Structures are given as C-alpha cells and as structure tokens.
Amino acid sequence: MAIYHPNEQPAPAYDSHTHLNDDQLYFDVPAYLGRAHEFQVLEMNVVGYDEVGNERALAIAHEYEGVHAILGFQPEDTPSMTAAAFDQLQEQVKDPVVVAVGETGLDYHWDTDRTIQEKAFRAQLRLAKDRDLPVVIHNREAFDDVYRILKEEQIEKAVIHSFSGTPAQAKAFADLGYYLSFSGVVTFKKAEEVRAAAKVLPLDRILVETDAPYLAPKPNRGKTNEPGWTKFVLDDLAQTLGMSRDELAAQTVQNAHRIFLNHDQN
Ligand SMILES: [Zn+2]
C-alpha cells in the first residue's frame, strides 16, 4: 500500500539492529522487508545471537540488498559457544556481508554463568579487533563490568545496542569514541533518563534501531516489532533532540555508514 505521496517520501533510514533471523520474523522476511521499504527503512543490520541465528543472518544478508549481517553469541547463549562453534564464527565473519561482531556483552538480568559470559565476551572482542570490525554490545545491568572490559581489551570501535542507561554512562561510552544506538525504549513514557542521555551525545555518535521482534516503540508497544518501525523511533528521538525526523534519519544513516561500512564521510 502506498502511504506517501512521492514528494512527501521521508528520508531513507537505517535500522542498525534487527532480528529478521528470529523465529517470529524469519518465515516472513520478504513481507517485513516490503513494509520496511514503505517506511523508507532501506538498510538494516540483521544481528546474530547463536549458531542458528548467525547462519540465518548470513543467508538473509546474501539474499537481500541493503541487508548486512552481524554475527556473534549473545550473553544468554554463550554456554552454546563451544570451541567448534567459535571456530565456525571466526570463519563466518570473513564474509564481506558481515559488518560487525555481536551481539556480545554481559547480561546480569538472567542467571547465565558470569564466568562463561565474560570468557565468550573477551573472545569475541579479540575476534573483532583481529578482523578490524566494530563490536555490537549487549549490556544489561552490567555497565561497570562491560565498560571495564571494553577498556581492558582496548576496543576502539563499538556500538552500544539499545542504550538504556544514564546520561553519565552515555557520556562515558561516547568519550571512548563509541556509538550509541537507541531503540523503542526511547519512546517509552518512563524513559526520561534515556532521552536525557541522547541529549548529551554528539550527533555523529547516534544510531537508531528496532531490536525487532522485541521492544516495539510507541504507539505499537507490546506488539511484535519489525524493522519498518524504525520510523517511530526516529519520530520520537527527533522530537527529543529538537530536529526534524528527516535530519535525524539522514544523520543516523551517515553514522551507520561510517561505523559499519567504513564510509569515510563526516
Ligand atoms: Zn538484539
């Protein structure tokens, strides 16, 4: 369905973090991509989290234009990152459709063994460094340890996915040169602090994402999220930052190209 008059087409957008590889979306990828295109979300990163998720991310990125892959083991799935699985990951990230390693990090909300999480986190950070790829960081209730480990491993290229922390934490990450990606969380009524955090950041460090099928933004909160709904994240965040949605869309596309695709534009 054509929603926009051609002259009123919004600026193209880039969903920096989505899971078309998740069971909830994977069996309908063409439909979700079609809807994303209606909303002018023309580029996206499909992010892996375990072996099956990584294989699917690769397959989707190979099949569709504008779709890139990010491969890794999320904290919850690190017990499945055996030596053989890590060997395979090391091979898979050599594929040119892969633009980052992740999502990887620490999650203290669930009770996955923290020693296993940290070992897998450090291994993936070293892999990213070896390949000169950025890392996409999953941090839940673990800021101090995530921040310390990123510094210890001397990571220079990182994206903090679905940033949900304080302005001070945002500033600390930005001071290391990292990018912060904002999800539907920024549209939630109680997320005052997250909106305040967005305001302390340099504009050239901000990305937007859906984390679909999770974290659906207002006005669709609680529904199955999809990449096209990057539109709603942009609407809200643009308002917070006092700029137009198209300006923010263009800025975040440029930022995504710089960090993920090595486009040397400022
Ligand atoms: Zn995710």
Side-chain angles (χ1 to χ4, degrees):
M1 191 174 75
I3 298 173
Y4 299 101
H5 183 275
N7 294 329
E8 294 166 359
Q9 279 241 335
Y14 190 130
D15 181 354
S16 81
H17 190 116
T18 191
H19 298 291
L20 285 176
N21 47 352
D22 182 283
D23 274 348
Q24 291 181 67
L25 307 177
Y26 183 65
F27 301 100
D28 245 338
V29 167
Y32 287 114
L33 284 176
R35 288 222 284 276
H37 288 180
E38 281 175 25
F39 286 121
Q40 283 288 96
V41 180
L42 303 183
E43 260 183 298
M44 64 191 72
N45 299 330
V46 174
V47 184
Y49 39 83
D50 67 3
E51 273 190 88
V52 173
N54 290 337
E55 271 161 30
R56 287 177 177 179
L58 269 182
I60 299 168
H62 274 280
E63 189 162 351
Y64 299 99
E65 210 180 317
V67 180
H68 314 283
I70 294 174
L71 305 186
F73 285 79
Q74 66 177 351
E76 259 182 278
D77 285 297
T78 48
S80 73
M81 198 181 91
T82 59
F86 187 68
D87 283 349
Q88 189 188 25
L89 179 64
Q90 280 182 299
E91 286 307 308
Q92 285 170 323
V93 297
K94 294 175 184 166
D95 192 308
V97 299
V98 176
V99 298
V101 171
E103 54 186 290
T104 178
L106 298 173
D107 191 322
Y108 291 169
H109 185 76
W110 307 110
D111 53 10
T112 311
D113 184 289
R114 292 186 184 183
T115 312
I116 295 174
Q117 287 193 46
E118 179 172 339
K119 201 177 156 212
F121 183 28
R122 288 187 189 270
Q124 292 177 81
L125 293 178
R126 288 168 196 169
L127 171 60
K129 246 173 89 173
D130 282 352
R131 303 295 312 170
D132 196 27
L133 288 168
V135 280
V136 170
I137 302 298
H138 173 120
N139 160 39
R140 192 164 182 198
E141 298 167 21
F143 172 81
D144 290 343
D145 287 346
V146 164
Y147 182 80
R148 175 179 53 80
I149 290 168
L150 286 167
K151 277 189 88 166
E152 283 172 5
E153 298 291 340
Q154 298 178 301
I155 296 300
E156 289 173 2
K157 294 198 283 183
V159 173
I160 310 299
H161 133 70
S162 187
F163 179 78
S164 309
T166 64
Q169 291 172 350
K171 182 106 187 10
F173 283 134
D175 286 347
L176 296 178
Y178 298 169
Y179 290 70
L180 282 81
S181 181
F182 292 88
S183 68
V185 169
V186 83
T187 73
F188 299 167
K189 207 171 163 186
K190 285 184 178 162
E192 299 287 344
E193 214 169 45
V194 180
R195 286 186 285 275
K199 290 189 201 170
V200 305
L201 291 172
L203 278 179
D204 67 358
R205 286 297 176 271
I206 294 178
L207 300 169
V208 287
E209 65 170 82
T210 56
D211 200 24
Y214 313 105
L215 301 179
K218 202 179 69 183
N220 296 328
R221 194 170 177 183
K223 295 189 184 156
T224 302
N225 200 1
E226 54 179 88
W229 295 356
T230 304
K231 167 202 170 356
F232 300 112
V233 178
L234 281 168
D235 282 344
D236 248 65
L237 188 57
Q239 215 170 29
T240 297
L241 298 174
M243 58 199 293
S244 80
R245 182 165 83 85
D246 280 0
E247 279 172 328
L248 183 60
Q251 177 74 56
T252 51
V253 166
Q254 195 181 91
N255 296 346
H257 285 174
R258 191 186 316 113
I259 180 73
F260 295 117
L261 307 179
N262 286 311
H263 289 196
D264 208 2
Q265 41 184 222
N266 295 297

